[in-house]
Amino acid sequence: MIEIQYIFELFGTVVFAISGALAADERKKHDWFGIAFYAFITAVGGGTLRDIFLNSYPLVWINDMNVIFSVFIGVILAGVFFNYFSKLRKTFMFFDTLGIALFTIVGLEKAHSLGANDFISVLMGMFTAVFGGVLRDILINKTPTIFVQEIYATACIIGGIVYLILESFGIDRNSNFIISGAVIAIIRIITVKYNLSLPKF
């Protein structure tokens, strides 16, 4: 039986690929290969950095072709439904929020499974969630969201902490995954809706 964590990981890859494709196409100068490249970077960039930091090989997308297929599915969905997505002002934010919510917990669990302590596991969860988008934004010459909306990354850290707290209380893994991911999504949605941010340096 496929674990819910693995299903969420593949679903997160799809939604991150969609968000990457939609973000890249804002410049209106890319062909399908270019869009697929940006989608791939967005979907697997954070997880790749996480695995390199944790010395985990082979990299997840090299060892599991389902990850590559999920990126392709995301690109195709973004292309087929692009006009529909373009009419929705907050579509990109929606897919990006789903992506960081899912990937934060996936990254945290991966780090935990490799023996990382709680602090490093939370950081690895955040890296998994946000650094694919950072790499994508740098490539398309756009200021990464993590640098202009700090609660973007902070939401991931809070969600990771919630996961560890619930785990300490014996909450089963699948329920914990859903609850912690929901916390990240809710924080992100509220902060965007009310334009909230951390104090400036």
Side-chain angles (χ1 to χ4, degrees):
M1 182 176 180
I2 300 177
E3 292 186 10
I4 190 170
Q5 184 266 352
Y6 183 66
I7 295 174
F8 280 160
E9 184 169 2
L10 295 180
F11 182 64
T13 302
V14 172
V15 297
F16 252 164
I18 293 173
S19 75
L22 295 178
D25 200 65
E26 288 176 357
R27 297 176 65 86
K28 306 295 184 181
K29 296 180 180 179
H30 304 297
D31 58 17
W32 275 86
F33 179 84
I35 292 298
F37 179 79
Y38 289 125
F40 179 80
I41 290 295
T42 306
V44 307
T48 297
L49 287 177
R50 174 204 65 214
D51 288 351
I52 291 173
F53 291 153
L54 294 173
N55 197 32
S56 175
Y57 298 98
L59 301 177
V60 62
W61 56 271
I62 292 177
N63 200 41
D64 186 356
M65 281 300 296
N66 287 332
V67 175
I68 304 297
F69 296 149
S70 296
V71 173
F72 288 154
I73 290 171
V75 172
I76 292 170
L77 289 174
V80 172
F81 297 105
F82 180 77
N83 290 333
Y84 175 73
F85 290 153
S86 297
K87 294 176 183 178
L88 303 177
R89 288 189 309 152
K90 297 182 179 179
T91 300
F92 171 73
M93 193 278 287
F94 171 75
F95 284 115
D96 201 50
T97 298
L98 280 179
I100 65 170
L102 295 168
F103 271 30
T104 296
I105 310 305
V106 167
L108 185 154
E109 287 191 335
K110 176 70 175 287
H112 244 178
S113 70
L114 294 173
N117 62 40
D118 289 347
F119 179 78
I120 297 300
S121 294
V122 170
L123 287 184
M124 289 299 102
M126 185 267 287
F127 283 175
T128 305
V130 306
F131 270 87
V134 169
L135 293 173
R136 175 203 65 216
D137 289 344
I138 291 172
L139 289 173
I140 64 177
N141 197 29
K142 175 184 176 184
T143 302
T145 302
I146 190 177
F147 298 139
V148 295
Q149 294 176 339
E150 184 65 23
I151 290 181
Y152 182 75
T154 307
C156 301
I157 293 174
I158 293 173
I161 293 172
V162 169
Y163 180 92
L164 294 177
I165 291 173
L166 294 178
E167 184 180 54
S168 70
F169 281 103
I171 302 298
D172 73 273
R173 183 187 185 195
N174 291 343
S175 297
N176 195 354
F177 197 107
I178 295 171
I179 294 170
S180 303
V183 167
I184 296 170
I186 290 170
I187 292 174
R188 173 74 172 137
I189 292 169
I190 290 174
T191 55
V192 169
K193 182 177 180 178
Y194 295 102
N195 196 29
L196 302 177
S197 62
L198 294 180
K200 302 300 181 183
F201 181 76

